[in-house]
Amino acid sequence: MSFRVDSQDFIARSSDALEDAPLQSALGKLRMGLSLRRREAVAALPEFEALRDEAAALRDYTLATLDQQLEAFEAQVRARGGEVHWAPDAEAARRIILELCQRYGAKKVLKGKSMVTEELELNEHLEAQGIRCVETDLGEYIVQLRRERPSHIVAPAIHLRKEDVAESFAEHHGDAGGRDRSTAEALMAEARAELRAHFLSADVGITGANFAIAETGSTVIVTNEGNGDLTQSLPKVHIAVTGIEKVVPTLEDASTLLRVLARSATGQEASVYTTFSTGPRRPEDPDGPEAYHVVLVDNGRSAMLGTEFEAMLRCIRCGACLNHCPVYGQVGGHAYGSVYPGPMGAVLTPQLAGLDQTVHLPTASTFCGACAAVCPVKIPLPTLLRQWRQRAHEAELGGTKARWLLALWGFFAARPRLYHAGLRLGTRVLAGLAGPRGSFRRLVGGQAWTAKRNFPAPEGGSFIASLSQETFSPTAEDRSAR
Amino acid sequence: MRVALLVSCLVDGLRPSVGAAALKLLRAAGCTVVVPRAQTCCGQPAWNSGDRATARTLALRVLDQFAGVDAVVVPSGSCAGMVHQLPEVLGASHPRRAEAEALAARCYEITTFLVEQRDYHPGPLGQGQTLTYHDSCAGLRELGVKTAPRILLERAGYILVEMAQAETCCGFGGTFCVKYPEISVAMADEKLASAGQAGASLVVGGDVGCLLHLAGRSERSVAPLAFRHVLELLVPEREQPRALGQGTP
Amino acid sequence: MTDSGREAVLGAVRQALARRTAAVGPPPCPPSHLIPQRAQRQAPELHALFVQQAQAAGATVVSVPDEAALAQALAALAAEHGEVPVVAPASPLAKLPWATAPALRAVQSGDALAVSTAVAAIAETGSVALASGPENPVLSAFLPEHHAVVVPASAVLGPSEDLWALLREQAGPEGLVFPRTLHWVTGPSRSGDIEMTMLFGAHGPLSLTLFLLEDG
Ligand code: SF4
């Protein structure tokens, strides 16, 4: 499979992230900021919980009828003068998009923010063929200049400070006239001016799609900056690239999903620009693209349909599960080594890249459930992570020591006498060793716990062992009282 | 009402006085209590590690031991949450699935049971002592345990101050805490900072696992806090064990 | 190539759906569409909601009693930046009783103010809906430094579903008549990409002014 991951190093990368003070301050802002905004937006809409149920049911219905929805979508796009292209895998998708760019003689391509094209590593591919790609979303633009990957599916540059951005701008934009780069305002104004020049000189605009509407053949993008609209309106060709699961049957269905999307993503009641694109410009239109193409990407998605992972295809990429994940909140997106980080990424990435490369991702979760509690389409993320753990266990992918310990413990737990005798003895010994100090700073074989934590000593003895016989088999009197 | 106490392996081995408190409180709330002797563990470590076969073996043992009572009560949101998952552990077509569903339906986390099923009022014990409450994830999100422990503590006279991050995971997460100790500890630090900011020196929770992890980390800091299971505070002071987090190794 | 891709993708989907039906049975019914209470108000509460929501999203809302007042207000807004408003030649706004003539041409990057007309306003979110066409070039909403939108008061709807209902009413024999681009614009352009500081005027206009035109 051609999906690039560096997830084997999760532990090393997360250690680095925890030591990275600027990253930690950026993540601190994320943890506080976005979850608070979401909470306020949800509190302002009494129907929000009911809408989550609707949104989940709607996604399930769509997935269950996916072939019909896709065909209807295709027919509508064609009827309105657009073209639809089907890509079974990443390689096919890259080839289709390259051929389209070549067909129109493109030298420069604008990109609206799109996670699917990140998944495809489209920029690298097009650039290798001599086509310049310019990311136009501010966050994407910044990470592109830095040759990094996005660290968040909604806020790609969330891991950076404004000083980092200033440094990248100085390197790439030059220092004409000693520009002020001390504030976020100044930096944004600078990016706006730089990107305007690109907007006016590009041949093709590539966007993603938050939804594809079967009823009208429209693709929908949801943005705050307006870059996506310039990307798809100024060049003479608009290519929308999206996963096959993004289709929805009707306009009303899009309305329902839009209600939960913005609130979950950024805590806004609505994003600034919600744009429905349908076919190329009409003959009488003064602007807009002359050609409109939709690339429908499968790349492992159909393989999830009808399996225990199907619910993951409901995902609308709002990023709420990242914003509320305490693990993501500590280590940031890059630690995951995948363009899809956090809980949703920990489910998706093994599917895209293979479990053997990514076994840490489903494991690195406390199953706290914060992700599932906020997911607007109610994906049971911990359950799906557990299913990956089961597959990893079956394939013997986990660490052998952990497996061995688990087996040992399972052996004793199924033999209560042995278990309780061992427990009584072990806890007594530990309690005795600890004595009045009450805690251990070191334990033989317990380094993983004690490196940074003390181990509070057991009280000594076991509860079960301390009980009198009556407690186990209640008296006749107790029985009659029932 | 005849109830069975599922004591949980951490309470059984590391904090038996929580088990004793559970027994006492259930009796005080008018229950006839049995403690099945052959109980060991609900199988959660296996289930969460992807070892379905072991989890199933242990699930069947739980079904055997906890049959024939009106309610199964657990002094741990995490283990009670696991019992609620036993039907899933067995799978849709398992012959004992219905039994597992019935067991899940009558299994309660203990504070919820005491408040909602027994309307239990503990005696005045708190004497205005100030504390903050850590919501353990499984209890909170799988079972909705939120108000019950607070109601009991307030009925007993304790003063509750909420911390901003009461609902954020502390980083224990079962085997997570030893598989990813650095992340686990970073999460604990955030929780401890939040508890510190709330201005209470005592942190109370409903799961011994979280408390051991937080206490062990707190002991390495300059100003360690004290930690207790909620049940410890609902029995007289002389029956309380030493608070966690006060060790001096 | 493309056609073999189509067969491959649809084939894989169909195979998966057969697997799905075997496992969980036929697909569920399509869900109903819940519309929040707040969007189900009638005028004048609906107008109040629209104004409140649009302002909360960072737009300025100005009520104007008639076309003369509208022309005057638009000219005044452009004059703040030392220019005249840019209006599409085919726009009905070209025929307003202008005291000073607006620039009747396509918008260009750097223009101070361009004016669009809305087909509808969505009170639920404080959005205006713009349909592209000769009267409403897409770029008027994105290229100028500031953007103004004229909304007839009678076009204020509750939820976006009412807009779809309107389009369905107007549907011809070929089905829905849909513009190349339909925009819902909710406040001025913004970005929070640098340190999560929300700033206006990312790529699109720095400000959005909505003129609510009383049309009796
Ligand atoms: S899994 Fe849910 S919360 Fe996470 S990005 Fe997808 S839709 Fe949003």
Side-chain angles (χ1 to χ4, degrees):
Chain A
M1 233 171 276
S2 64
F3 180 72
R4 183 162 67 94
V5 286
D6 312 289
S7 307
Q8 296 97 324
D9 308 334
F10 177 79
I11 291 187
R13 284 163 176 267
S14 57
S15 296
D16 291 348
L18 289 166
E19 299 292 314
D20 184 339
L23 174 66
Q24 287 301 318
S25 90
L27 289 172
K29 281 191 189 173
L30 171 81
R31 289 198 294 266
M32 295 298 128
L34 285 174
S35 57
L36 187 70
R37 282 188 214 161
R38 175 194 174 273
R39 199 173 329 138
E40 287 169 358
V42 166
L45 186 68
E47 293 92 345
F48 189 79
E49 279 309 307
L51 282 166
R52 283 178 74 209
D53 288 327
E54 290 237 335
L58 169 61
R59 296 296 295 133
D60 281 347
Y61 171 74
T62 310
L63 293 170
T65 54
L66 189 60
D67 55 340
Q68 298 162 38
Q69 307 300 344
L70 287 169
E71 283 188 302
F73 173 76
E74 180 192 42
Q76 284 296 323
V77 174
R78 289 207 172 133
R80 292 164 200 264
E83 281 181 41
V84 175
H85 312 266
W86 304 74
D89 53 30
E91 206 205 308
R94 290 189 289 250
R95 191 184 54 237
I96 290 165
I97 298 165
L98 175 66
E99 282 171 6
L100 284 171
C101 290
Q102 288 167 341
R103 194 204 294 183
Y104 294 103
K107 298 206 167 44
K108 191 196 280 184
V109 166
L110 296 174
K111 291 276 311 294
K113 188 173 153 21
S114 147
M115 286 312 299
V116 178
T117 61
E118 291 286 348
E119 172 186 327
L120 301 174
E121 294 188 89
L122 183 64
N123 292 1
E124 289 82 342
H125 185 72
L126 292 182
E127 302 237 320
Q129 305 294 321
I131 298 170
R132 170 118 193 248
C133 293
V134 182
E135 291 288 347
T136 62
D137 171 85
L138 180 56
E140 289 282 350
Y141 177 66
I142 293 166
V143 298
Q144 188 188 29
L145 289 184
R146 298 174 65 87
R147 304 202 158 276
E148 290 178 359
R149 290 172 141 196
S151 66
H152 187 288
I153 61 171
V154 172
I158 195 80
H159 58 290
L160 297 171
R161 298 167 307 164
K162 62 177 186 297
E163 291 77 13
D164 304 317
V165 179
E167 199 183 283
S168 302
F169 282 9
E171 186 186 324
H172 289 90
H173 300 165
D175 238 338
R179 275 167 158 169
D180 169 27
R181 293 195 173 103
S182 62
T183 62
E185 283 89 340
L187 292 165
M188 194 172 78
E190 181 173 336
R192 178 187 165 102
E194 286 287 331
L195 282 163
R196 264 303 155 95
H198 288 301
F199 278 123
L200 299 168
S201 62
D203 311 295
V204 168
I206 299 178
T207 68
N210 291 83
F211 308 110
I213 302 176
E215 179 184 13
T216 55
S218 311
T219 52
V220 184
I221 59 170
V222 178
T223 68
N224 275 326
E225 297 183 3
N227 64 303
D229 294 279
L230 289 167
T231 296
Q232 65 169 55
S233 304
L234 283 163
K236 56 184 188 292
V237 183
H238 175 198
I239 304 174
V241 186
T242 192
I244 52 170
E245 83 283 16
K246 289 293 179 66
V247 67
V248 296
T250 66
L251 292 164
E252 282 80 2
D253 296 333
S255 288
T256 294
L257 292 174
L258 286 164
R259 277 197 185 91
V260 293
L261 174 59
R263 286 180 173 87
S264 302
T266 54
Q268 289 168 282
E269 301 247 326
S271 301
V272 177
Y273 302 111
T274 302
T275 305
F276 301 76
S277 301
T278 314
R281 73 200 269 180
R282 317 290 186 247
E284 66 279 13
D285 282 353
D287 54 18
E290 286 156 24
Y292 173 65
H293 297 268
V294 183
V295 182
L296 295 171
V297 181
D298 183 338
N299 204 29
R301 287 165 176 77
S302 62
M304 300 173 91
L305 205 56
T307 73
E308 65 267 49
F309 296 108
E310 180 181 297
M312 195 60 227
L313 295 171
R314 291 182 198 155
C315 177
I316 55 174
R317 306 286 192 268
C318 72
C321 58
L322 279 61
N323 304 340
H324 290 78
C325 175
V327 174
Y328 177 93
Q330 292 298 337
V331 303
H334 287 156
Y336 292 80
S338 161
V339 295
Y340 297 118
M344 57 83 72
V347 177
L348 263 183
T349 308
Q351 175 72 28
L352 293 169
L355 187 56
D356 52 336
Q357 304 285 304
T358 57
V359 73
H360 275 298
L361 303 188
T363 315
S365 160
T366 62
F367 283 164
C368 79
C371 50
V374 296
C375 175
V377 286
K378 294 202 149 180
I379 301 172
L381 291 153
T383 303
L384 301 185
L385 292 174
R386 187 185 290 107
Q387 265 147 11
W388 278 126
R389 291 188 193 181
Q390 281 174 14
R391 291 214 183 170
H393 184 85
E394 282 153 20
E396 306 198 359
L397 290 172
T400 39
K401 189 178 155 201
R403 289 178 71 83
W404 191 81
L405 283 173
L406 199 65
L408 189 71
W409 166 88
F411 176 86
F412 279 106
R415 287 162 182 78
R417 287 202 177 186
L418 209 55
Y419 175 92
H420 286 293
L423 194 66
R424 196 169 59 219
L425 183 68
T427 54
R428 285 225 173 108
V429 169
L430 281 176
L433 281 174
R437 290 169 320 210
S439 219
F440 295 93
R441 186 168 272 276
R442 244 172 250 105
L443 272 182
V444 180
Q447 177 64 13
W449 179 289
T450 56
K452 292 190 169 183
R453 280 166 293 214
N454 289 347
F455 183 74
E459 288 178 47
S462 100
F463 172 70
I464 300 275
S466 73
L467 294 174
S468 62
Q469 198 56 40
E470 295 88 90
T471 327
F472 300 120
S473 40
T475 60
E477 189 190 331
D478 273 348
R479 283 210 186 101
S480 63
R482 222 179 126 195
Chain B
M1 187 187 245
R2 205 168 105 101
V3 307
L5 180 64
L6 192 160
V7 70
S8 86
C9 53
L10 289 180
V11 165
D12 185 22
L14 301 179
R15 207 75 178 154
S17 31
V18 172
L23 195 56
K24 179 172 177 170
L25 289 164
L26 288 170
R27 284 177 173 154
C31 303
T32 299
V33 188
V34 285
V35 185
R37 181 174 227 162
Q39 62 175 295
T40 54
C41 175
C42 58
Q44 181 168 198
W47 177 235
N48 284 351
S49 300
D51 182 354
R52 191 168 194 147
T54 305
R56 255 188 206 155
T57 308
L58 295 177
L60 295 176
R61 296 195 69 253
V62 173
L63 290 187
D64 291 341
Q65 287 146 27
F66 290 88
V69 289
D70 301 319
V72 174
V73 180
V74 195
S76 154
S78 172
C79 302
M82 180 62 199
V83 174
H84 282 250
Q85 290 181 58
L86 291 185
E88 199 188 328
V89 174
L90 294 186
S93 52
H94 196 280
R96 296 183 72 183
R97 163 117 185 171
E99 223 182 302
E101 278 169 0
L103 177 67
R106 60 173 194 272
C107 174
Y108 301 88
E109 186 274 334
I110 190 161
T111 62
T112 312
F113 180 79
L114 287 172
V115 172
E116 290 176 10
Q117 302 297 312
R118 308 305 298 171
D119 191 24
Y120 177 68
H121 283 251
L125 294 159
Q127 293 144 0
Q129 198 184 343
T130 302
L131 51 85
T132 191
Y133 199 86
H134 159 58
D135 294 294
S136 289
C137 298
L140 176 69
R141 298 199 184 83
E142 288 168 28
L143 305 173
V145 179
K146 178 74 188 180
T147 54
R150 289 171 171 80
I151 289 172
L152 289 173
L153 288 166
E154 278 171 355
R155 281 178 183 171
Y158 295 94
I159 296 171
L160 213 80
V161 289
E162 292 290 345
M163 60 176 135
Q165 304 283 305
E167 296 188 357
T168 309
C169 179
C170 69
F172 171 62
T175 55
F176 177 87
C177 75
V178 285
K179 280 188 177 154
Y180 303 95
E182 293 186 34
I183 305 172
S184 170
V185 160
M187 289 161 70
D189 286 347
E190 183 148 333
K191 189 90 201 184
L192 292 171
S194 185
Q197 279 157 17
S201 56
L202 176 62
V203 181
V204 182
D207 271 279
V208 167
C210 305
L211 295 168
L212 290 170
H213 158 71
L214 286 172
R217 179 60 184 169
S218 177
E219 283 181 7
R220 295 271 171 105
S221 72
V222 282
L225 303 169
F227 299 82
R228 284 195 182 280
H229 190 282
V230 53
L231 298 191
E232 294 173 27
L233 292 172
L234 300 177
V235 295
E237 211 177 324
R238 61 183 144 48
E239 293 168 35
Q240 295 175 3
R242 177 167 158 187
L244 291 163
Q246 307 292 296
T248 52
Chain C
M1 205 92 259
T2 306
D3 270 346
S4 72
R6 183 180 193 278
E7 291 318 304
V9 174
L10 278 174
V13 168
R14 289 202 180 103
Q15 214 176 347
L17 287 178
R19 178 168 73 209
R20 184 186 201 281
T21 311
V24 297
C29 295
S32 59
H33 292 96
L34 176 95
I35 295 176
Q37 208 68 47
R38 83 143 85 117
Q40 299 185 30
R41 303 178 199 182
Q42 303 298 319
E45 285 82 30
L46 204 58
H47 286 100
L49 176 67
F50 171 64
V51 172
Q52 177 199 326
Q53 291 290 76
Q55 285 172 343
T60 306
V61 187
V62 181
S63 270
V64 284
D66 53 35
E67 296 199 331
L70 174 62
Q72 202 179 5
L74 285 169
L77 187 60
E80 282 178 27
H81 307 284
E83 291 188 20
V84 293
V86 177
V87 171
S91 167
L93 299 174
K95 303 206 172 62
L96 289 181
W98 297 96
T100 337
L104 293 179
R105 58 167 171 80
V107 68
Q108 284 161 11
S109 185
D111 280 340
L113 179 75
V115 193
S116 307
T117 49
V119 282
I122 302 163
E124 183 187 350
T125 48
S127 315
V128 287
L130 310 177
S132 67
E135 300 178 359
N136 252 329
V138 171
L139 294 173
S140 297
F142 297 96
L143 279 183
E145 298 293 294
H146 301 273
H147 185 213
V149 178
V150 178
V151 190
S154 59
V156 178
L157 307 173
S160 58
E161 281 84 348
D162 286 359
L163 174 60
W164 307 141
L166 205 68
L167 289 173
R168 288 189 204 294
E169 273 168 32
Q170 295 165 356
E174 307 277 286
L176 287 187
V177 181
F178 222 74
R180 149 63 199 168
T181 316
L182 179 74
H183 283 106
W184 300 347
V185 181
T186 316
S189 155
R190 73 197 64 185
S191 174
D193 274 350
I194 300 176
E195 293 192 350
M196 290 184 49
T197 317
M198 206 37 110
L199 297 170
F200 288 128
H203 287 288
L206 300 155
S207 77
L208 175 69
T209 311
L210 307 178
F211 290 93
L212 204 53
L213 176 65
E214 303 300 333
D215 44 4

